[in-house]
């Protein structure tokens, strides 16, 4: 039995309609009725479905938001702040996902602002980091991850580390079907673990892997010493494949 809690998180991105959300929770709730306390399931629907998901989900499942604007409320057209997310029983925020960094051009500074703000507001945060294929090929992967982590965690208050989860998501593995091998993922996870230990004395922070996680490769990934769980995109959209990932053993 692993020492740290196993975390299985779904990131639906811009997918799933009302009917699909209903079908998902109707089926997943049944499977999660006897979820062991060592296993934590988190689901991050798109903003319009947060309310519905919070109302429908089984009490053992937590709801996450895929993003946040670092303010409580105010004149920020198109954005969603902490007051609304709390109102909808969101417990966790995904910050720094590579699609936000690369498609929406989110800077290291903005990622840090969102992280700090979410922690201050009492949310748990899944902080995503990951290198592009070019950075990996140029052998810059460790420097890139180090920079993403240290810029986000700089001056972070000690007490807030209890609410941080790291997700290592190599950009080249996201949505491509090209999963990192267990050894590739383990190599980076142990590097991150060492950074967390040396720089923040917190080697116990959960480190998830994300990028083309599927029912057929979850077992091999979860066997790795430093992989505490997964952040799943495509294979989390349907209850059937997501529950195979949750109950992989
Ligand atoms: P994927 O996405 O599982 O579809 O590769 C993972 C993620 O982006 O979190």
């Amino acid at each position: 039995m692993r020492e740290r809690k196993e975390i299985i998180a779904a990131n639906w991105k811009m997918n799933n309609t009302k009917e699909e959300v209903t079908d998902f929770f109707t089926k997943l709730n049944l499977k999660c009725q006897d979820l062991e306390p060592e296993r934590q399931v988190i689901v991050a629907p798109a903003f319009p479905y947060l309310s519905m998901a919070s109302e429908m989900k089984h009490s053992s499942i937590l709801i996450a938001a895929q993003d946040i604007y670092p303010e409580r409320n105010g004149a920020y057209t198109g954005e969603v702040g902490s007051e609304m997310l709390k109102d909808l029983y969101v417990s966790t925020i995904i910050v720094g996902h590579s699609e936000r960094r690369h498609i929406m051009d989110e800077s290291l500074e903005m990622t840090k602002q969102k992280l700090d703000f979410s922690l201050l507001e009492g949310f748990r945060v899944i902080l995503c980091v990951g290198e592009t294929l070019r950075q990996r090929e140029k052998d810059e992967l460790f420097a890139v991850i180090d920079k993403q982590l240290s810029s986000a965690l700089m001056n972070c208050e000690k007490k807030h580390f209890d609410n941080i989860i790291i997700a290592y998501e190599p950009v080249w593995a996201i949505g491509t079907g090209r999963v990192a091998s267990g050894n590739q993922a383990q190599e980076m996870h142990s590097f991150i673990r060492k950074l967390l230990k040396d720089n923040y004395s917190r080697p116990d922070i959960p480190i998830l892997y994300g990028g083309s996680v599927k029912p057929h490769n979850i077992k091999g990934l979860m066997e790795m010493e430093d992989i505490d769980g997964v952040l799943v995109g495509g294979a989390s959209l349907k209850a059937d494949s997501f529950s195979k990932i949750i109950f992989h053993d």
Side-chain angles (χ1 to χ4, degrees):
M1 181 56 70
R2 59 182 55 237
E3 270 170 54
R4 294 176 291 273
K5 200 169 187 157
E6 192 171 298
I7 299 171
I8 310 285
N11 173 15
W12 286 355
K13 311 188 181 186
M14 204 169 71
N15 294 297
N16 275 352
T17 57
K18 230 160 39 181
E19 202 180 317
E20 289 162 327
V21 176
T22 307
D23 184 65
F24 179 92
F25 283 108
T26 309
K27 291 177 178 155
L28 192 72
N29 285 351
L30 286 174
K31 308 236 181 205
C32 287
Q33 265 167 358
D34 301 312
L35 199 68
E36 310 93 309
E38 325 54 76
R39 223 180 284 236
Q40 178 71 77
V41 175
I42 307 176
V43 179
F47 285 138
Y49 300 99
L50 283 174
S51 168
M52 190 180 165
S54 286
E55 276 165 29
M56 276 202 79
K57 57 113 188 156
H58 185 265
S59 57
S60 61
I61 302 169
L62 296 180
I63 297 296
Q66 297 173 17
D67 189 28
I68 189 170
Y69 190 75
E71 290 289 340
R72 292 195 171 129
N73 53 38
Y76 303 98
T77 301
E79 296 294 333
V80 178
S82 61
E83 191 178 270
M84 296 159 183
L85 297 177
K86 284 184 190 176
D87 207 21
L88 300 178
Y89 307 103
V90 166
S91 67
T92 308
I93 317 279
I94 299 177
V95 169
H97 190 279
S98 68
E99 284 148 18
R100 298 221 56 90
R101 294 182 194 261
H102 296 289
I103 304 174
M104 281 67 172
D105 269 338
E106 200 167 281
S107 64
L108 290 171
E109 291 71 30
M110 182 49 103
T111 298
K112 170 146 191 66
Q113 268 188 49
K114 289 181 175 182
L115 176 96
D116 287 347
F117 179 77
S118 303
L119 292 169
L120 205 64
E121 287 290 288
F123 293 107
R124 207 165 182 209
V125 171
I126 301 179
L127 170 66
C128 303
V129 295
E131 83 286 0
T132 62
L133 185 57
R134 204 174 140 72
Q135 289 164 334
R136 176 168 277 262
E137 284 170 350
K138 284 168 69 189
D139 219 11
E140 293 170 356
L141 69 165
F142 295 106
V144 168
I145 301 303
D146 190 350
K147 188 167 174 201
Q148 289 177 355
L149 271 180
S150 45
S151 76
L153 299 179
M154 187 176 49
N155 300 329
C156 190
E157 274 190 67
K158 261 198 167 133
K159 62 174 186 197
H160 286 155
F161 277 90
D162 288 342
N163 278 333
I164 295 177
I165 299 169
I166 307 291
Y168 168 57
E169 300 205 302
V171 180
W172 47 271
I174 296 179
T176 58
R178 193 178 155 186
V179 65
S181 69
N183 288 335
Q184 278 174 324
Q186 169 57 29
E187 187 186 25
M188 183 54 83
H189 280 232
S190 81
F191 173 76
I192 295 173
R193 181 90 59 214
K194 188 169 176 338
L195 275 183
L196 294 171
K197 180 168 182 275
D198 294 350
N199 300 347
Y200 313 98
S201 311
R202 290 302 300 260
D204 57 317
I205 289 179
I207 310 172
L208 317 185
Y209 168 80
S212 296
V213 175
K214 308 285 175 208
H216 71 82
N217 58 30
I218 178 72
K219 212 161 180 282
L221 290 164
M222 290 305 296
E223 274 164 12
M224 296 294 140
E225 189 186 341
D226 288 302
I227 299 186
D228 302 316
V230 284
L231 179 56
V232 190
S236 74
L237 297 177
K238 298 265 179 288
D240 184 41
S241 80
F242 189 51
S243 52
K244 282 188 188 137
I245 291 174
I246 299 172
F247 303 102
H248 53 85
D249 36 16

